[in-house]
Amino acid sequence: GSLERRRCLYLHRGRAWCQMVEVLLAALILVCSSVSCGSAGGYTGLPALGGIYYYQYGGAYSGFSGADGERAQQLDQRFYLLKLPIARAAMAVGGCLLVFPCVLILVGVLRVPWHFPAWLLIECTLYTVIAVGTVPALYYFLHSLLSVYNSSVCKEREQLYQSKGYQGFWCSLHGAEIAAGLLGCMAAMAYLISAGLAVRDYRTLHEQKQKPLQL
């Protein structure tokens, strides 16, 4: 009926569109963070894995043997453990940022702001706090990753792989981590826009409440 149509109309509002963009950005941050974490990796003896593995990965790690193989495995595991807390923290933040706009979309569809206009001011405050908090969170994320890449473990790992002719093990930020940082900046901008839209909608709703006969 008319109530369902009013609820669906919220999804056509600017605030709802901005919230859906926030959902998309949070999902991408979550994916990039999981890619940053990656797998435990490590050198594994190819004879134990069989010919299919060797064919699929093009003879990966075939240049390692004996002590070098064991050292590569140790360095991979230590490097993975160094990055794991950072990646988990980023994934946790991405998950929270994914849930938050979903909840606000549900609140808007249920027309809570219409019955309780002060909610829009609360929403504005939450968005502002999250947008401001995103800045130190991004700094911590990138600074922690750079600390890992500047560690002796990463440097030794890089040199060991380069000595065997392998590329792609450089001690620098890779694409997924840079993308996570850029997506975080975009998310912070979207939160500020949503905060402004919440204030605008509050003023509009307040004016409508003051003129009930015109509705």
Side-chain angles (χ1 to χ4, degrees), residues 18-107:
C18 198
Q19 288 166 351
M20 286 186 276
V21 170
E22 292 161 13
V23 171
L24 176 61
L25 291 174
L28 292 175
I29 292 174
L30 190 59
V31 171
C32 291
S33 301
S34 63
V35 171
S36 175
C37 179
S39 61
Y43 169 82
T44 304
L46 292 175
L49 297 175
I52 296 179
Y53 182 92
Y54 189 92
Y55 175 79
Q56 182 178 357
Y57 289 90
Y61 302 109
S62 58
F64 289 103
S65 61
D68 286 342
E70 294 179 359
R71 187 56 182 165
Q73 184 180 27
Q74 293 174 0
L75 291 173
D76 276 345
Q77 291 175 349
R78 290 174 61 186
F79 180 70
Y80 168 75
L81 292 176
L82 286 175
K83 291 185 66 177
L84 184 60
I86 306 170
R88 283 181 173 175
M91 292 172 65
V93 172
C96 293
L97 296 180
L98 180 62
V99 172
F100 179 66
C102 291
V103 172
L104 293 184
I105 291 174
L106 179 62
V107 168

Coordinates of all heavy atoms in Angstrom, one line a residue, residues 18-107:
C18 N 23.9 7.7 -1.1 CA 25.2 7.8 -0.5 C 25.6 6.7 0.4 O 26.7 6.2 0.5 CB 25.3 9.2 0.2 SG 27.0 9.7 0.6
Q19 N 24.6 6.2 1.1 CA 24.8 5.1 2.0 C 25.1 3.8 1.2 O 25.9 2.9 1.7 CB 23.5 4.9 2.9 CG 23.4 6.0 4.0 CD 22.0 6.0 4.6 OE1 21.1 5.3 4.2 NE2 21.9 6.8 5.7
M20 N 24.4 3.6 0.1 CA 24.7 2.5 -0.7 C 26.2 2.5 -1.3 O 26.8 1.5 -1.4 CB 23.7 2.3 -1.9 CG 22.3 1.9 -1.4 SD 21.1 1.5 -2.7 CE 20.5 3.2 -3.0
V21 N 26.6 3.7 -1.6 CA 28.0 3.9 -2.0 C 28.9 3.5 -0.9 O 30.0 2.9 -1.1 CB 28.3 5.3 -2.5 CG1 29.8 5.6 -2.7 CG2 27.5 5.6 -3.8
E22 N 28.6 3.9 0.3 CA 29.4 3.5 1.5 C 29.4 2.0 1.7 O 30.5 1.5 2.1 CB 28.8 4.2 2.8 CG 28.9 5.7 2.8 CD 28.0 6.3 3.7 OE1 27.4 5.6 4.6 OE2 27.8 7.6 3.7
V23 N 28.3 1.3 1.4 CA 28.3 -0.1 1.5 C 29.3 -0.7 0.5 O 30.1 -1.6 0.8 CB 26.9 -0.7 1.3 CG1 26.9 -2.2 1.1 CG2 26.0 -0.3 2.4
L24 N 29.3 -0.2 -0.7 CA 30.2 -0.7 -1.8 C 31.7 -0.4 -1.4 O 32.5 -1.3 -1.5 CB 29.9 0.0 -3.1 CG 30.8 -0.4 -4.3 CD1 30.8 -1.8 -4.6 CD2 30.4 0.5 -5.5
L25 N 32.0 0.8 -0.9 CA 33.3 1.1 -0.5 C 33.8 0.2 0.6 O 35.0 -0.3 0.6 CB 33.4 2.6 -0.1 CG 33.2 3.6 -1.2 CD1 33.2 5.0 -0.7 CD2 34.3 3.5 -2.3
A26 N 32.9 0.0 1.6 CA 33.3 -0.9 2.8 C 33.6 -2.3 2.3 O 34.5 -2.9 2.8 CB 32.2 -0.8 3.8
A27 N 32.8 -2.8 1.4 CA 33.0 -4.1 0.8 C 34.3 -4.2 0.1 O 35.0 -5.2 0.3 CB 31.8 -4.5 -0.1
L28 N 34.7 -3.2 -0.6 CA 35.9 -3.2 -1.4 C 37.1 -3.1 -0.4 O 38.2 -3.8 -0.6 CB 36.0 -2.0 -2.4 CG 35.0 -2.1 -3.5 CD1 35.1 -0.9 -4.4 CD2 35.4 -3.4 -4.4
I29 N 37.0 -2.3 0.7 CA 38.0 -2.3 1.7 C 38.2 -3.6 2.4 O 39.3 -4.0 2.6 CB 37.6 -1.2 2.8 CG1 37.7 0.2 2.2 CG2 38.6 -1.3 4.0 CD1 37.2 1.3 3.1
L30 N 37.1 -4.3 2.6 CA 37.2 -5.6 3.2 C 37.9 -6.6 2.3 O 38.8 -7.4 2.7 CB 35.8 -6.1 3.5 CG 35.6 -7.4 4.4 CD1 36.3 -7.2 5.7 CD2 34.2 -7.8 4.5
V31 N 37.6 -6.5 1.0 CA 38.3 -7.4 0.0 C 39.8 -7.1 -0.1 O 40.6 -8.0 0.0 CB 37.6 -7.3 -1.3 CG1 38.4 -8.0 -2.4 CG2 36.2 -7.9 -1.3
C32 N 40.1 -5.8 -0.2 CA 41.5 -5.4 -0.3 C 42.3 -5.8 1.0 O 43.5 -6.2 0.9 CB 41.6 -3.9 -0.5 SG 41.0 -3.4 -2.2
S33 N 41.7 -5.7 2.1 CA 42.3 -6.1 3.4 C 42.6 -7.6 3.4 O 43.7 -8.0 3.9 CB 41.5 -5.6 4.6 OG 41.2 -4.3 4.6
S34 N 41.6 -8.3 3.0 CA 41.8 -9.8 2.9 C 42.9 -10.2 2.0 O 43.7 -11.1 2.2 CB 40.5 -10.5 2.6 OG 40.1 -10.2 1.3
V35 N 43.0 -9.5 0.8 CA 44.1 -9.7 -0.1 C 45.5 -9.4 0.5 O 46.5 -10.1 0.3 CB 43.9 -8.9 -1.4 CG1 45.1 -9.0 -2.3 CG2 42.6 -9.5 -2.1
S36 N 45.5 -8.3 1.3 CA 46.7 -7.9 1.9 C 47.2 -9.0 2.9 O 48.4 -9.2 3.0 CB 46.5 -6.6 2.7 OG 47.6 -6.2 3.4
C37 N 46.2 -9.6 3.6 CA 46.6 -10.7 4.5 C 47.1 -11.9 3.7 O 48.2 -12.4 4.1 CB 45.4 -11.1 5.3 SG 45.7 -12.4 6.5
G38 N 46.5 -12.2 2.6 CA 46.9 -13.3 1.8 C 46.9 -14.6 2.5 O 46.2 -14.8 3.5
S39 N 47.6 -15.5 2.0 CA 47.8 -16.9 2.6 C 49.1 -17.0 3.3 O 49.9 -16.1 3.2 CB 47.7 -17.9 1.5 OG 48.8 -17.7 0.6
A40 N 49.2 -18.0 4.1 CA 50.4 -18.2 4.9 C 51.6 -18.4 4.0 O 52.7 -18.0 4.4 CB 50.3 -19.5 5.8
G41 N 51.4 -18.9 2.8 CA 52.5 -19.0 1.8 C 53.6 -19.9 2.3 O 53.3 -20.9 3.1
G42 N 54.8 -19.6 1.9 CA 55.9 -20.4 2.4 C 56.3 -21.4 1.4 O 55.5 -21.9 0.5
Y43 N 57.6 -21.8 1.4 CA 58.1 -22.8 0.5 C 57.6 -24.2 0.9 O 57.5 -24.5 2.0 CB 59.6 -22.7 0.6 CG 60.3 -23.9 -0.1 CD1 60.5 -23.9 -1.5 CD2 60.7 -25.0 0.6 CE1 61.1 -24.9 -2.2 CE2 61.3 -26.1 -0.1 CZ 61.5 -26.0 -1.4 OH 62.1 -27.1 -2.1
T44 N 57.2 -24.9 -0.1 CA 56.8 -26.3 0.1 C 57.5 -27.2 -0.9 O 57.6 -26.8 -2.1 CB 55.2 -26.4 -0.1 OG1 54.6 -25.5 0.7 CG2 54.8 -27.8 0.2
G45 N 58.0 -28.3 -0.5 CA 58.7 -29.2 -1.4 C 57.7 -29.7 -2.5 O 56.7 -30.3 -2.2
L46 N 58.1 -29.5 -3.7 CA 57.2 -29.8 -4.9 C 57.0 -31.3 -5.0 O 56.0 -31.8 -5.4 CB 57.8 -29.2 -6.2 CG 57.7 -27.7 -6.2 CD1 58.4 -27.2 -7.5 CD2 56.3 -27.3 -6.3
P47 N 58.0 -32.2 -4.7 CA 57.8 -33.6 -4.9 C 56.6 -34.1 -4.0 O 55.9 -35.0 -4.4 CB 59.1 -34.2 -4.4 CG 60.1 -33.2 -4.7 CD 59.4 -31.9 -4.4
A48 N 56.3 -33.4 -2.9 CA 55.2 -33.9 -2.0 C 53.9 -33.4 -2.6 O 52.9 -34.0 -2.2 CB 55.4 -33.3 -0.6
L49 N 53.9 -32.5 -3.5 CA 52.6 -32.0 -4.0 C 52.3 -32.6 -5.4 O 51.1 -32.4 -5.8 CB 52.7 -30.4 -4.2 CG 53.0 -29.7 -2.9 CD1 53.1 -28.2 -3.2 CD2 51.8 -29.9 -2.0
G50 N 53.2 -33.2 -6.0 CA 52.9 -33.9 -7.3 C 53.0 -33.0 -8.5 O 53.2 -31.8 -8.4
G51 N 52.9 -33.6 -9.7 CA 53.1 -32.9 -10.9 C 52.1 -31.9 -11.3 O 52.4 -30.9 -12.0
I52 N 50.8 -32.0 -10.8 CA 49.8 -31.1 -11.1 C 50.1 -29.7 -10.6 O 50.0 -28.7 -11.2 CB 48.4 -31.6 -10.6 CG1 48.0 -32.9 -11.3 CG2 47.3 -30.5 -10.8 CD1 46.7 -33.5 -10.8
Y53 N 50.5 -29.7 -9.3 CA 50.9 -28.4 -8.7 C 52.1 -27.8 -9.4 O 52.1 -26.6 -9.7 CB 51.3 -28.7 -7.2 CG 51.7 -27.4 -6.5 CD1 50.7 -26.7 -5.7 CD2 53.0 -26.9 -6.5 CE1 51.1 -25.5 -5.1 CE2 53.3 -25.8 -5.8 CZ 52.4 -25.1 -5.1 OH 52.7 -24.0 -4.4
Y54 N 53.0 -28.6 -9.8 CA 54.2 -28.1 -10.5 C 53.8 -27.5 -11.8 O 54.3 -26.4 -12.2 CB 55.2 -29.2 -10.7 CG 56.6 -28.7 -11.2 CD1 57.6 -28.4 -10.3 CD2 56.8 -28.6 -12.6 CE1 58.8 -28.0 -10.8 CE2 58.0 -28.2 -13.1 CZ 59.0 -27.9 -12.2 OH 60.2 -27.5 -12.6
Y55 N 52.9 -28.1 -12.5 CA 52.5 -27.6 -13.8 C 51.7 -26.4 -13.7 O 51.8 -25.4 -14.4 CB 51.7 -28.7 -14.5 CG 51.1 -28.3 -15.8 CD1 51.8 -28.2 -17.0 CD2 49.7 -27.9 -15.9 CE1 51.3 -27.7 -18.2 CE2 49.2 -27.4 -17.1 CZ 50.0 -27.4 -18.2 OH 49.4 -26.9 -19.4
Q56 N 50.8 -26.3 -12.7 CA 49.8 -25.2 -12.6 C 50.6 -23.9 -12.2 O 50.3 -22.8 -12.7 CB 48.8 -25.5 -11.5 CG 47.8 -24.4 -11.3 CD 46.8 -24.8 -10.2 OE1 46.8 -25.8 -9.7 NE2 45.9 -23.8 -9.9
Y57 N 51.6 -24.0 -11.4 CA 52.3 -22.9 -10.9 C 53.7 -22.7 -11.7 O 54.5 -21.9 -11.3 CB 52.6 -22.9 -9.4 CG 51.4 -22.8 -8.6 CD1 50.6 -23.9 -8.3 CD2 50.9 -21.5 -8.2 CE1 49.4 -23.7 -7.6 CE2 49.8 -21.3 -7.5 CZ 49.0 -22.4 -7.2 OH 47.8 -22.3 -6.5
G58 N 53.8 -23.4 -12.8 CA 55.0 -23.2 -13.6 C 56.3 -23.4 -13.0 O 57.3 -22.8 -13.2
G59 N 56.4 -24.4 -12.1 CA 57.6 -24.8 -11.4 C 58.0 -23.8 -10.3 O 59.2 -23.5 -10.2
A60 N 57.0 -23.2 -9.6 CA 57.2 -22.3 -8.6 C 58.2 -22.8 -7.5 O 58.0 -24.0 -7.2 CB 55.9 -21.8 -8.0
Y61 N 59.0 -22.0 -7.0 CA 60.0 -22.4 -6.0 C 61.0 -23.5 -6.4 O 61.6 -24.1 -5.6 CB 59.3 -22.8 -4.7 CG 58.4 -21.8 -4.1 CD1 57.0 -21.9 -4.2 CD2 58.9 -20.6 -3.5 CE1 56.2 -21.0 -3.7 CE2 58.1 -19.6 -3.0 CZ 56.7 -19.8 -3.1 OH 55.9 -18.9 -2.6
S62 N 61.0 -23.7 -7.7 CA 61.9 -24.8 -8.2 C 63.4 -24.5 -8.0 O 64.2 -25.4 -8.0 CB 61.6 -25.1 -9.6 OG 61.9 -24.0 -10.4
G63 N 63.7 -23.2 -7.8 CA 65.1 -22.8 -7.6 C 65.6 -23.1 -6.2 O 66.8 -22.9 -5.9
F64 N 64.7 -23.4 -5.2 CA 65.1 -23.6 -3.8 C 65.4 -25.0 -3.6 O 64.8 -25.9 -4.1 CB 64.0 -23.1 -2.9 CG 63.8 -21.6 -2.9 CD1 62.8 -21.0 -3.5 CD2 64.7 -20.8 -2.2 CE1 62.6 -19.7 -3.5 CE2 64.5 -19.4 -2.1 CZ 63.5 -18.9 -2.8
S65 N 66.4 -25.2 -2.7 CA 66.7 -26.6 -2.3 C 67.4 -26.5 -1.0 O 68.1 -25.6 -0.7 CB 67.6 -27.3 -3.3 OG 68.8 -26.6 -3.5
G66 N 67.2 -27.6 -0.2 CA 68.0 -27.7 1.1 C 67.8 -26.5 2.0 O 66.6 -26.1 2.3
A67 N 68.9 -26.0 2.5 CA 68.8 -24.9 3.5 C 68.1 -23.7 3.0 O 67.4 -23.0 3.8 CB 70.2 -24.5 4.0
D68 N 68.3 -23.3 1.7 CA 67.6 -22.2 1.2 C 66.1 -22.3 1.2 O 65.3 -21.4 1.5 CB 68.0 -21.9 -0.3 CG 69.4 -21.4 -0.4 OD1 69.9 -20.8 0.7 OD2 70.0 -21.5 -1.4
G69 N 65.6 -23.5 0.9 CA 64.2 -23.8 1.0 C 63.6 -23.7 2.4 O 62.5 -23.1 2.6
E70 N 64.3 -24.2 3.4 CA 63.9 -24.1 4.7 C 63.9 -22.6 5.2 O 63.0 -22.2 5.9 CB 64.7 -24.9 5.6 CG 64.6 -26.4 5.4 CD 65.6 -27.2 6.3 OE1 66.3 -26.6 7.1 OE2 65.5 -28.5 6.2
R71 N 64.9 -21.9 4.8 CA 65.0 -20.5 5.2 C 63.9 -19.7 4.5 O 63.3 -18.8 5.1 CB 66.3 -19.9 4.7 CG 66.6 -18.5 5.3 CD 66.5 -18.4 6.7 NE 66.7 -17.0 7.2 CZ 66.3 -16.7 8.5 NH1 65.8 -17.5 9.3 NH2 66.5 -15.4 8.9
A72 N 63.5 -20.0 3.2 CA 62.4 -19.3 2.6 C 61.1 -19.5 3.3 O 60.3 -18.6 3.4 CB 62.4 -19.7 1.1
Q73 N 60.9 -20.7 3.7 CA 59.7 -21.1 4.4 C 59.6 -20.3 5.7 O 58.5 -19.8 6.1 CB 59.6 -22.6 4.7 CG 58.3 -23.0 5.3 CD 58.3 -24.5 5.6 OE1 59.4 -25.2 5.7 NE2 57.1 -25.1 5.6
Q74 N 60.7 -20.3 6.5 CA 60.7 -19.6 7.7 C 60.4 -18.1 7.6 O 59.6 -17.5 8.3 CB 62.0 -19.8 8.4 CG 62.3 -21.2 8.9 CD 63.7 -21.4 9.5 OE1 64.5 -20.4 9.5 NE2 64.0 -22.6 9.9
L75 N 61.1 -17.5 6.6 CA 60.9 -16.0 6.3 C 59.4 -15.7 5.9 O 58.9 -14.7 6.3 CB 61.9 -15.6 5.3 CG 63.3 -15.5 5.7 CD1 64.2 -15.2 4.5 CD2 63.5 -14.5 6.8
D76 N 58.9 -16.6 5.0 CA 57.5 -16.4 4.6 C 56.5 -16.5 5.8 O 55.6 -15.6 5.9 CB 57.1 -17.5 3.6 CG 57.5 -17.1 2.1 OD1 57.9 -15.9 1.9 OD2 57.6 -18.0 1.3
Q77 N 56.7 -17.4 6.6 CA 55.9 -17.5 7.8 C 56.0 -16.4 8.7 O 55.0 -15.9 9.3 CB 56.1 -18.9 8.5 CG 55.7 -20.1 7.7 CD 56.2 -21.4 8.4 OE1 56.9 -21.4 9.4 NE2 55.7 -22.5 7.9
R78 N 57.2 -15.9 9.0 CA 57.4 -14.8 9.9 C 56.9 -13.5 9.3 O 56.2 -12.7 10.0 CB 58.9 -14.6 10.2 CG 59.5 -15.7 11.0 CD 61.0 -15.6 11.2 NE 61.4 -14.3 11.8 CZ 62.7 -13.9 11.9 NH1 63.6 -14.6 11.4 NH2 62.9 -12.7 12.4
F79 N 57.0 -13.3 8.0 CA 56.5 -12.2 7.3 C 55.0 -12.2 7.3 O 54.3 -11.1 7.6 CB 57.0 -12.2 5.8 CG 56.5 -11.0 5.0 CD1 56.9 -9.7 5.3 CD2 55.5 -11.2 4.0 CE1 56.5 -8.6 4.5 CE2 55.1 -10.1 3.3 CZ 55.5 -8.8 3.5
Y80 N 54.4 -13.3 7.2 CA 52.9 -13.5 7.2 C 52.4 -13.1 8.6 O 51.4 -12.4 8.8 CB 52.5 -14.9 6.9 CG 51.1 -15.2 7.2 CD1 50.0 -14.8 6.4 CD2 50.8 -16.1 8.2 CE1 48.7 -15.1 6.7 CE2 49.4 -16.4 8.5 CZ 48.4 -15.9 7.7 OH 47.1 -16.2 8.0
L81 N 53.1 -13.6 9.7 CA 52.7 -13.3 11.0 C 52.8 -11.8 11.4 O 52.1 -11.3 12.2 CB 53.5 -14.2 12.0 CG 53.2 -15.7 12.0 CD1 54.1 -16.4 12.9 CD2 51.8 -16.0 12.3
L82 N 53.8 -11.2 10.8 CA 53.9 -9.7 11.0 C 52.8 -8.9 10.4 O 52.3 -7.9 11.0 CB 55.3 -9.2 10.4 CG 56.6 -9.6 11.1 CD1 57.8 -9.1 10.3 CD2 56.6 -9.0 12.5
K83 N 52.3 -9.4 9.2 CA 51.2 -8.6 8.5 C 49.8 -9.0 9.0 O 48.9 -8.3 8.9 CB 51.3 -8.9 7.0 CG 52.5 -8.3 6.3 CD 52.4 -8.5 4.8 CE 51.2 -7.8 4.2 NZ 51.1 -7.9 2.8
L84 N 49.7 -10.2 9.7 CA 48.4 -10.7 10.0 C 47.6 -9.8 11.0 O 46.4 -9.5 10.7 CB 48.6 -12.1 10.7 CG 47.3 -12.8 11.0 CD1 46.4 -13.1 9.8 CD2 47.6 -14.2 11.7
P85 N 48.2 -9.3 12.1 CA 47.4 -8.4 12.9 C 46.9 -7.1 12.2 O 45.8 -6.7 12.5 CB 48.4 -8.0 14.1 CG 49.4 -9.1 14.0 CD 49.6 -9.5 12.6
I86 N 47.7 -6.6 11.3 CA 47.3 -5.4 10.6 C 46.1 -5.7 9.7 O 45.2 -4.9 9.6 CB 48.5 -4.8 9.8 CG1 49.7 -4.6 10.7 CG2 48.1 -3.5 9.1 CD1 51.0 -4.3 10.0
A87 N 46.3 -6.8 8.9 CA 45.2 -7.2 8.0 C 43.9 -7.5 8.8 O 42.8 -7.1 8.3 CB 45.7 -8.4 7.2
R88 N 44.0 -8.2 9.9 CA 42.8 -8.5 10.7 C 42.1 -7.3 11.2 O 40.9 -7.2 11.2 CB 43.2 -9.4 11.8 CG 43.4 -10.9 11.4 CD 43.7 -11.8 12.6 NE 43.8 -13.2 12.2 CZ 44.2 -14.1 13.0 NH1 44.5 -13.9 14.3 NH2 44.2 -15.4 12.6
A89 N 42.9 -6.3 11.7 CA 42.4 -5.0 12.1 C 41.7 -4.3 11.0 O 40.5 -3.8 11.2 CB 43.4 -4.2 12.7
A90 N 42.3 -4.3 9.8 CA 41.7 -3.6 8.7 C 40.4 -4.3 8.2 O 39.4 -3.7 7.9 CB 42.7 -3.6 7.5
M91 N 40.4 -5.7 8.3 CA 39.2 -6.4 7.9 C 38.1 -6.2 9.0 O 36.9 -6.1 8.6 CB 39.5 -7.9 7.8 CG 40.4 -8.3 6.7 SD 41.0 -10.0 6.7 CE 39.4 -10.8 6.5
A92 N 38.4 -6.0 10.2 CA 37.4 -5.8 11.3 C 36.8 -4.4 11.1 O 35.6 -4.2 11.2 CB 38.1 -5.9 12.7
V93 N 37.6 -3.4 10.8 CA 37.1 -2.1 10.5 C 36.3 -2.1 9.3 O 35.2 -1.4 9.2 CB 38.3 -1.1 10.3 CG1 37.8 0.3 9.9 CG2 39.1 -0.9 11.7
G94 N 36.7 -2.7 8.2 CA 35.9 -2.8 7.0 C 34.6 -3.5 7.2 O 33.5 -3.1 6.7
G95 N 34.5 -4.5 8.1 CA 33.3 -5.2 8.4 C 32.3 -4.3 9.1 O 31.1 -4.2 8.9
C96 N 32.9 -3.5 10.1 CA 32.0 -2.5 10.8 C 31.5 -1.5 9.9 O 30.3 -1.1 10.0 CB 32.8 -1.9 12.0 SG 33.3 -3.1 13.3
L97 N 32.4 -1.0 9.0 CA 31.9 0.1 8.1 C 30.9 -0.5 7.1 O 30.1 0.3 6.5 CB 33.1 0.6 7.3 CG 34.1 1.4 8.2 CD1 35.3 1.9 7.3 CD2 33.5 2.5 8.9
L98 N 30.9 -1.8 6.9 CA 29.9 -2.4 6.0 C 28.6 -2.5 6.7 O 27.5 -2.3 6.1 CB 30.4 -3.8 5.6 CG 29.5 -4.6 4.6 CD1 29.3 -3.8 3.3 CD2 30.1 -6.0 4.4
V99 N 28.6 -2.8 8.0 CA 27.3 -3.0 8.7 C 26.6 -1.7 9.0 O 25.4 -1.6 8.9 CB 27.6 -3.8 10.0 CG1 26.4 -3.8 10.9 CG2 28.1 -5.2 9.8
F100 N 27.4 -0.7 9.3 CA 26.9 0.6 9.7 C 25.9 1.2 8.7 O 24.8 1.6 9.0 CB 28.0 1.6 10.0 CG 27.6 3.0 10.5 CD1 26.9 3.1 11.6 CD2 27.9 4.1 9.7 CE1 26.5 4.4 12.0 CE2 27.5 5.3 10.0 CZ 26.8 5.5 11.2
P101 N 26.3 1.4 7.4 CA 25.4 2.0 6.5 C 24.2 1.1 6.2 O 23.1 1.6 5.9 CB 26.2 2.2 5.2 CG 27.4 1.3 5.4 CD 27.6 1.2 6.8
C102 N 24.4 -0.3 6.3 CA 23.3 -1.2 6.1 C 22.2 -0.9 7.2 O 21.0 -1.0 6.9 CB 23.7 -2.6 6.1 SG 24.8 -3.1 4.7
V103 N 22.6 -0.7 8.4 CA 21.7 -0.4 9.5 C 21.0 0.9 9.2 O 19.8 1.0 9.4 CB 22.4 -0.4 10.8 CG1 21.5 0.1 11.9 CG2 23.0 -1.8 11.2
L104 N 21.7 1.9 8.8 CA 21.1 3.2 8.5 C 20.1 3.1 7.3 O 19.1 3.8 7.4 CB 22.2 4.2 8.2 CG 23.1 4.6 9.4 CD1 24.0 5.7 9.0 CD2 22.3 5.0 10.6
I105 N 20.4 2.3 6.4 CA 19.4 2.1 5.3 C 18.1 1.5 5.8 O 17.0 1.9 5.4 CB 20.0 1.2 4.1 CG1 21.2 2.0 3.4 CG2 19.0 0.8 3.1 CD1 21.9 1.2 2.4
L106 N 18.3 0.5 6.7 CA 17.1 -0.1 7.3 C 16.3 0.8 8.1 O 15.1 0.9 8.1 CB 17.6 -1.3 8.1 CG 16.5 -2.1 8.8 CD1 15.5 -2.7 7.8 CD2 17.0 -3.2 9.7
V107 N 17.0 1.7 8.8 CA 16.4 2.7 9.7 C 15.6 3.7 8.8 O 14.5 4.1 9.1 CB 17.4 3.5 10.5 CG1 16.8 4.7 11.2 CG2 18.0 2.6 11.6

